[in-house]
Amino acid sequence: MSRSSNASVVTSPDIYDVVIIGGGMAGLTAATVLGRACRRIAVVDAGRPRNGPADQVHGFPSRDGIAPADLLQLCRSDVERYDVELVSGQVFRVNGDRTVELAGGRTLQGRHVVLATGLSDTLPDIAGARERWGRDLLHCPYCHGWEVKDQPLAVLGTEQTSVQQSILVRSFSAEVTLIVQEGLELSDDDARSLEAMGVGVVEGTAERLLIREDALEAVALADGRTVPCRALFCEPVATVDPMLANIPGCTLDADGCLETDEIGRTGADRIWAVGNVTDPSGQVVPVAGDAYRLAVGLNAALVEEDTAEALSAWERAAVSL
């Protein structure tokens, strides 16, 4: 129930106006806006941020170059000023009645639920990939390109979009090689574009990352050849938490992300979603903006519910006079 003067105040510690699942930029932004709207909020965080392996966050005005963990700590410090409870835990089920079940037995009840769980990356099957992820095995040129500019770079060609990625990476270095993996076929137009942009093309199966003095030196191919590079860009397979697809009313789109309307409502009653879980291309700044907009829309829904409840109580009281 709302903490407004028009409705009764719920005292149970496990009942909230909104339960937000996910303690990244999307979840914490929504929590800040809703907390400032005098709502009682719980943010459940499993403690595994997608950008955790990266050294820095870029493109965030006033915070360019900050470590991801430091940025999240600043966000958590912000929400602690309001009626927001930060809950460490793993959600394993969200029910249609908006009860949120955590591993360990605790259950949270929300008038509304926000899904801000982000995505999980499945890295390419290359020896050393996990150890170098976020360091010199990279995904986004906008996030990491400046730090590796003017060095030999490579792109792992696994999807048709890898062609566009390699041309984008070419903006950062004059020496870029697209390593074409089995299953990717370059069209004549692709080949001409790559040649015109000065992107080299090597066909072969990437097998392992060669490291020297804690830095990437080359990509070793299965046939014994090597592709010298100081960073390898790739496009990992990104997926939502399988638990989300089991929420009654929630559906996945063609990208495998949750479908929502323009302000973040899913097909499930009073269950919302925001961040990478709805948009795999979302960066930190636009994700924060989307979460702000969702929070305003969600609070408007809460105000409407509070008004309807107060009006019903007022009408009952008037009849009894």
Side-chain angles (χ1 to χ4, degrees):
M1 304 295 290
S2 168
R3 300 178 70 245
S4 71
S5 59
N6 291 336
S8 59
V9 176
V10 170
T11 58
S12 169
D14 286 346
I15 300 179
Y16 302 85
D17 289 311
V18 184
V19 177
I20 299 173
I21 305 172
M25 182 56 61
L28 292 173
T29 299
T32 300
V33 176
L34 290 165
R36 287 181 55 79
C38 301
R39 298 297 178 180
R40 185 162 190 255
I41 310 299
V43 179
V44 184
D45 183 12
R48 295 191 296 271
R50 186 185 185 194
N51 64 353
D55 291 332
Q56 298 176 330
V57 172
H58 292 287
F60 198 126
S62 81
R63 292 292 182 265
D64 190 66
I66 190 172
D70 292 342
L71 179 59
L72 289 180
Q73 185 53 50
L74 288 172
C75 294
R76 285 192 288 266
S77 296
D78 285 343
V79 302
E80 287 172 353
R81 292 181 287 172
Y82 309 111
D83 193 3
V84 176
E85 181 182 352
L86 299 176
V87 180
S88 296
Q90 177 68 49
V91 174
F92 71 89
R93 183 181 295 117
V94 178
N95 300 306
D97 62 355
R98 298 168 308 285
T99 53
V100 177
E101 299 180 42
L102 278 61
R106 185 177 179 185
T107 299
L108 310 180
Q109 175 71 58
R111 292 172 62 186
H112 291 250
V113 171
V114 174
L115 307 173
T117 52
L119 297 170
S120 296
D121 292 313
T122 300
L123 300 182
D125 186 17
I126 301 174
R130 178 59 58 186
E131 293 79 7
R132 307 309 299 184
W133 180 236
R135 303 176 65 189
D136 33 35
L137 177 63
L138 308 170
H139 177 208
C140 174
Y142 293 103
C143 299
H144 305 288
W146 176 267
E147 283 65 41
V148 297
K149 68 185 182 71
D150 300 328
Q151 301 181 71
L153 305 176
V155 175
L156 190 67
T158 54
E159 305 289 342
Q160 192 61 41
T161 51
S162 301
V163 175
Q164 287 70 44
Q165 187 183 35
S166 63
I167 292 174
L168 174 58
V169 171
R170 175 64 180 81
S171 302
F172 297 91
S173 172
E175 189 175 345
V176 176
T177 302
L178 174 62
I179 306 173
V180 179
Q181 303 296 281
E182 184 179 358
L184 174 61
E185 296 186 6
L186 301 182
S187 68
D188 291 341
D189 287 343
D190 291 334
R192 285 194 295 268
S193 295
L194 292 166
E195 184 174 358
M197 289 299 294
V199 176
V201 176
V202 172
E203 295 187 4
T205 302
E207 189 171 70
R208 67 185 186 279
L209 303 180
L210 300 180
I211 308 301
R212 182 177 181 182
E213 296 181 355
D214 197 30
L216 179 62
E217 184 176 53
V219 177
L221 305 183
D223 61 9
R225 291 176 296 159
T226 61
V227 178
C229 60
R230 297 297 174 266
L232 174 65
F233 286 84
C234 69
E235 297 181 279
V237 177
T239 55
V240 302
D241 188 325
M243 173 269 298
L244 303 183
N246 295 324
I247 300 173
C250 286
T251 56
L252 303 182
D253 61 20
D255 289 330
C257 293
L258 286 175
E259 288 187 345
T260 68
D261 66 10
E262 64 278 2
I263 62 171
R265 294 187 186 91
T266 71
D269 182 37
R270 286 173 282 182
I271 295 181
W272 308 60
V274 68
N276 283 160
V277 74
T278 68
D279 178 8
S281 65
Q283 301 291 336
V284 176
V285 173
V287 160
D290 290 343
Y292 194 110
R293 183 174 65 249
L294 175 144
V296 170
L298 197 164
N299 192 59
L302 287 168
V303 169
E304 184 176 347
E305 292 170 9
D306 292 342
T307 303
E309 182 177 342
L311 180 59
S312 177
W314 179 83
E315 290 174 340
R316 289 195 301 272
V319 169
S320 65
L321 292 178

